[in-house]
Amino acid sequence: MIKFVGSVILILCGIICGVEKSLKYIKHVEFLKDYFEFLMDLKNQINYSQCSIFNVINKFKTRKFLGKYFEKFEKIVKVKSFEFAWELSFENIRKTFDLSGEEELFILSFAKNFGKTDVKGQINYIDYNLDTIKFYINSALETKKKKQKLPVILGVCLSLLIVTFLV
């Protein structure tokens, strides 16, 4: 009886570890979608109401994925430049959302060219960013579709292997 209970607990631990690892794919996609929505809202605000980026950031502070980064940004931008505050706010983003180096560099470099041209230039720059982020979202969705089940399967298999050796 004790062996059976121990085996079930071990298998459940393997499943939980696998699910935990597979959640990183979901977080990656959801973060990129949140960033895409931010860019879309920013484009609309600039295009139609011509309000500042700080109004858009203020609206996104309550978001699940971008909120804490924008709160940090607001604190830093009061004493530092826009570009420096942006890079400093998003510096640990790669580890948190399992982004590729290219995706991280893309997000960090957004502030380098933002606000340097007229409204039409800003809209074109945001359109370029939107097209690029769409590509990253599609790539992340493909990766999620291919690899999301793998950690769960490995967790189950490894826990079954350990149970087999122990029993």
Side-chain angles (χ1 to χ4, degrees), residues 79-96:
V79 293
K80 301 286 183 181
S81 71
F82 179 85
E83 185 178 334
F84 183 77
W86 187 269
E87 289 178 7
L88 199 60
S89 299
F90 287 96
E91 68 183 346
N92 293 324
I93 205 163
R94 184 175 187 177
K95 289 184 275 183
T96 307

Side-chain angles (χ1 to χ4, degrees), residues 25-81:
Y25 298 113
I26 295 170
K27 284 174 64 175
H28 183 185
V29 170
E30 292 303 315
F31 170 78
L32 291 175
K33 285 181 179 179
D34 214 20
Y35 190 74
F36 178 82
E37 289 176 25
F38 162 71
L39 290 174
M40 283 297 295
D41 199 37
L42 181 61
K43 177 184 172 185
N44 290 335
Q45 292 293 336
I46 290 173
N47 209 10
Y48 299 114
S49 68
Q50 297 183 353
C51 68
S52 76
I53 187 172
F54 298 107
N55 293 348
V56 179
I57 287 175
N58 202 25
K59 191 165 101 175
F60 273 78
K61 283 193 318 188
T62 59
R63 299 299 285 256
K64 181 177 181 181
F65 297 105
L66 289 175
K68 71 177 183 176
Y69 297 100
F70 285 150
E71 284 178 10
K72 186 176 178 182
F73 172 79
E74 268 193 337
K75 291 175 187 172
I76 298 170
V77 81
K78 291 176 183 174
V79 293
K80 301 286 183 181
S81 71

Side-chain angles (χ1 to χ4, degrees), residues 107-167:
I107 291 169
L108 289 175
S109 66
F110 173 75
K112 287 184 181 166
N113 293 322
F114 188 75
K116 307 265 194 258
T117 61
D118 62 344
V119 173
K120 188 171 177 90
Q122 294 307 302
I123 298 300
N124 290 338
Y125 181 64
I126 293 172
D127 282 337
Y128 162 74
N129 278 271
L130 285 169
D131 290 340
T132 306
I133 211 74
K134 281 180 198 175
F135 171 76
Y136 290 143
I137 290 170
N138 290 334
S139 176
L141 284 170
E142 261 182 51
T143 303
K144 177 185 158 197
K145 185 178 179 182
K146 288 179 186 175
K147 296 182 179 180
Q148 187 176 9
K149 294 178 185 172
L150 184 64
V152 177
I153 293 169
L154 283 174
V156 170
C157 290
L158 284 174
S159 60
L160 286 172
L161 184 67
I162 292 170
V163 166
T164 304
F165 282 130
L166 293 176
V167 175

